[in-house]
Amino acid sequence: MIRVLLAEDQGMMRGALALLLGMEEDIEVVAQVGAGDQIVHSALTARPDVALLDIELPGRSGLEAAADLREECPECRVLILTTFGRPGYLRRAMEAGAAGFLVKDGPVEELAEAIRAVLRGETVVDPALAAAALGAGPNPLTGRESDVLAAAVDGATVADIAAKLHLSESTVRNYLSAAIGKTGTRNRIEAVREARRQGWL
């Protein structure tokens, strides 16, 4: 049996996925979690062969958890399953050590086959997303520019961002200005929106 950990914050979706996967003769869902910061603990306890992770989870993102699993449970293969098929997310997932990346609108049979494939050591990526990622190019934002944009998400002031990231206000303004330029937008609200659309944040 292929042992699967399922991380999905929407309870109904999580239950439906577990039910559907459980109907496959060779797949058993051994753990279900609704938050990203529960993934590693559950994986260490349940010892799944494959972790099926959503990206946008409370506590810790699926991308961050994928990197954690690579360190803590290297024998567990990671398959990202998300609503958000963004090129930047795909690139970040692969950098975090994920073996596969699928969007949620595919049939369950395709998901079951992807689980089997990653366990065989194959890489599985949604074809349309792979093509988009190749055309999108790399994330132009530096780590610090991304940090500053992420801190600006909720409309925080320059002073708030500076305090949160332990930077001077002039440094924050410089990072914001650079991020706005690199995203080709007019202000930081648009820059945040574009960076999220691309999957860079």
Side-chain angles (χ1 to χ4, degrees):
M1 291 291 282
I2 302 171
R3 297 167 61 80
V4 173
L5 178 150
L6 185 55
E8 162 64 57
D9 63 328
Q10 295 178 13
M12 191 177 290
M13 171 70 84
R14 187 170 65 245
L17 275 172
L19 191 65
L20 289 167
L21 289 173
M23 295 170 77
E24 299 289 322
E25 291 180 4
D26 57 342
I27 294 175
E28 179 187 7
V29 176
V30 295
Q32 298 181 45
V33 298
D37 49 13
Q38 300 169 350
I39 292 170
V40 172
H41 175 74
S42 292
L44 289 170
T45 304
R47 291 292 172 186
D49 301 305
V50 177
L52 192 58
L53 310 181
D54 192 6
I55 289 180
E56 298 196 355
L57 294 166
R60 196 152 176 75
S61 79
L63 297 175
E64 292 169 320
D68 295 341
L69 285 173
R70 182 171 56 182
E71 296 294 319
E72 302 282 338
C73 304
E75 71 283 357
C76 177
R77 305 282 285 167
V78 173
L79 181 58
I80 299 289
L81 181 67
T82 183
T83 306
F84 306 101
R86 297 170 182 161
Y89 277 168
L90 172 58
R91 192 176 296 273
R92 287 168 57 199
M94 295 298 123
E95 288 169 358
F101 194 109
L102 295 174
V103 288
K104 287 180 182 172
D105 58 4
V108 72
E109 296 81 15
E110 192 176 287
L111 176 59
E113 188 46 47
I115 289 170
R116 297 180 189 107
V118 298
L119 196 58
R120 292 192 299 264
E122 298 172 26
T123 299
V124 180
V125 177
D126 180 88
L129 188 57
L134 286 172
N139 178 357
L141 301 173
T142 66
R144 256 330 196 181
E145 288 162 1
S146 295
D147 291 344
V148 168
L149 268 190
V153 162
D154 297 322
T157 66
V158 168
D160 293 336
I161 298 167
K164 182 177 181 181
L165 299 178
H166 308 291
L167 298 169
S168 71
E169 291 186 26
S170 62
T171 300
V172 168
R173 285 192 191 91
N174 288 340
Y175 282 132
L176 285 172
S177 177
I180 290 165
K182 288 179 179 180
T183 53
T185 54
R186 295 173 299 179
N187 56 50
R188 62 180 162 156
I189 294 166
E190 289 183 7
V192 166
R193 192 179 301 128
E194 178 62 13
R196 279 185 152 173
R197 189 182 73 79
Q198 293 287 349
W200 297 332
L201 284 186

